[in-house]
Amino acid sequence: MRLAIFGCGGMGRELADIVRARCSSISKTAEVLFVADEPSGPVLGIPVIQPDSLRATDRICFAIGSSVARRTLSYRFSHQPLATIVSDTAIISPSAEIGEGSVLCDYTVVNNSSRIGRHFQGNTFSQVSHDCIIGDCVTFSPRVSCNGWVHIEDDVFVGSGAIIRNGAPGRRLRIGKGAVIGMGAVVVRDVPAGVTVVGVPARPQST
């Protein structure tokens, strides 16, 4: 098996470290490769190949922080099987569902009855609490805390240290498609699709 990590910047290097040291969800015999459109030699001693050098059996994941960029890559590489990377230090409830192509970095938490879509990126110390619904291509930066009964739609980006207040059964707090939650924001009410919110409490960013 070959594991192909698209992107060899900071996130890609983090994933490579996790896979090589703390990831029993990927076979220890897997060959790890980076993929880049303009490869410039090995990174961390790992070969970097062009996309046209991928094999049909290579399992790919996307080490790109942008939710929109990951969605674009998912279309571009729809013919490749996906790899889901879960650090051994992550805590995942047996009743949680994790979509293909997702990445759960060190010390992430996904609690019971939560459903996470494809190509989710949960960075270090991020949390998805109970009964949440998370769409495709959602990004949680480090130390994001999402409380229970929240529905986050596709392509949402959540900045480092942001906190999302809990909803309730029958009345989830909802964050609309493509919204951006600023670093350190505290979200206490619904966020419309495509809106950027910042501050405590989080409000739409002024232009």
Side-chain angles (χ1 to χ4, degrees):
M1 171 188 168
R2 298 204 312 179
L3 171 66
I5 300 173
F6 188 100
C8 47
M11 189 65 199
R13 297 194 305 272
E14 287 183 34
L15 288 187
D17 284 346
I18 289 170
V19 168
R20 294 193 294 184
R22 302 181 297 282
C23 186
S24 55
S25 65
I26 302 293
S27 170
K28 293 301 181 185
T29 62
E31 180 183 359
V32 180
L33 304 167
F34 286 122
V35 182
D37 287 318
E38 298 181 3
S40 58
V43 174
L44 299 179
I46 297 171
V48 185
I49 65 171
Q50 292 181 318
D52 59 9
S53 296
L54 284 166
R55 300 172 186 169
T57 56
D58 290 341
R59 305 187 74 83
I60 195 167
C61 67
F62 306 125
I64 305 293
S66 164
S67 295
V68 174
R70 287 205 307 285
R71 179 170 292 281
T72 300
L73 289 169
S74 74
Y75 296 146
R76 181 180 170 190
F77 293 97
S78 61
H79 56 286
Q80 293 290 149
L82 297 174
T84 301
I85 296 176
V86 179
S87 169
D88 288 347
T89 64
I91 300 172
I92 312 298
S93 169
S95 63
E97 299 176 15
I98 309 295
E100 284 188 306
S102 292
V103 169
L104 298 172
C105 295
D106 288 331
Y107 307 107
T108 55
V109 176
V110 181
N111 285 335
N112 64 85
S113 302
S114 286
R115 303 200 311 269
I116 289 178
R118 291 156 60 93
H119 304 295
F120 173 75
Q121 189 176 98
N123 218 309
T124 307
F125 288 103
S126 59
Q127 177 196 13
V128 178
S129 197
H130 64 87
D131 298 291
C132 288
I133 300 172
I134 310 293
D136 295 340
C137 301
V138 171
T139 302
F140 275 18
S141 301
R143 296 188 181 277
V144 167
S145 182
C146 177
N147 289 288
W149 296 106
V150 171
H151 184 177
I152 299 179
E153 297 180 0
D154 295 349
D155 303 336
V156 169
F157 181 91
V158 187
S160 298
I163 299 172
I164 302 171
R165 194 203 72 184
N166 61 288
R171 179 61 180 92
R172 296 179 185 273
L173 188 147
R174 185 178 295 268
I175 298 176
K177 182 176 180 179
V180 175
I181 310 302
M183 181 183 296
V186 177
V187 178
V188 297
R189 59 179 62 87
D190 292 352
V191 177
V195 170
T196 296
V197 297
V198 297
V200 180
R203 293 186 173 90
Q205 186 175 41
S206 57
T207 57

